[in-house]
Amino acid sequence: MATDRGSVPLAIDIRTRYLRRLRENRTASGRLAEFAKLQQASFRVLRSSPSGYQHFLRRNMASRRAEVIDGVWRPVSPARRAQQP
């Protein structure tokens, strides 16, 4: 299937504008409903694999660890520590 070089960026631009228009026209309740569906689907995926769920919990709890330094609670995880002011 032969296409000229300009048609792909043009098609991408048209799709981007279409998706942006769809996103802008959704109501707050529609966005929340979509978010709830995504959360339920991700939880089903987690629950479908017991070992994957245990790995997720270990990783999550490890990233939330904290320690007290000079009377101040600080995250142990380097990624979370980087977010501190």
Side-chain angles (χ1 to χ4, degrees):
M1 178 174 170
T3 60
D4 59 288
R5 290 186 183 269
S7 65
V8 173
L10 179 62
I12 290 172
D13 184 51
I14 290 170
R15 178 176 166 76
T16 302
R17 283 186 280 134
Y18 172 73
L19 291 174
R20 184 179 304 133
R21 205 169 339 142
L22 282 179
R23 189 174 51 244
E24 290 171 352
N25 290 334
R26 289 181 21 209
T27 63
S29 61
R31 289 191 305 268
L32 285 173
E34 177 83 19
F35 181 71
K37 280 195 271 184
L38 289 172
Q39 289 291 316
Q40 291 169 352
S42 64
F43 189 67
R44 278 194 304 273
V45 168
L46 272 177
R47 295 295 301 248
S48 68
S49 169
S51 63
Y53 188 59
Q54 289 301 316
H55 176 73
F56 165 77
L57 289 176
R58 277 194 310 274
R59 191 184 70 221
N60 192 11
M61 293 302 171
S63 75
R64 293 176 182 268
R65 288 184 313 168
E67 61 189 1
V68 178
I69 301 174
D70 297 327
V72 178
W73 287 93
R74 301 218 189 271
V76 172
S77 165
R80 290 188 187 265
R81 190 174 287 161
Q83 295 173 357
Q84 295 292 311

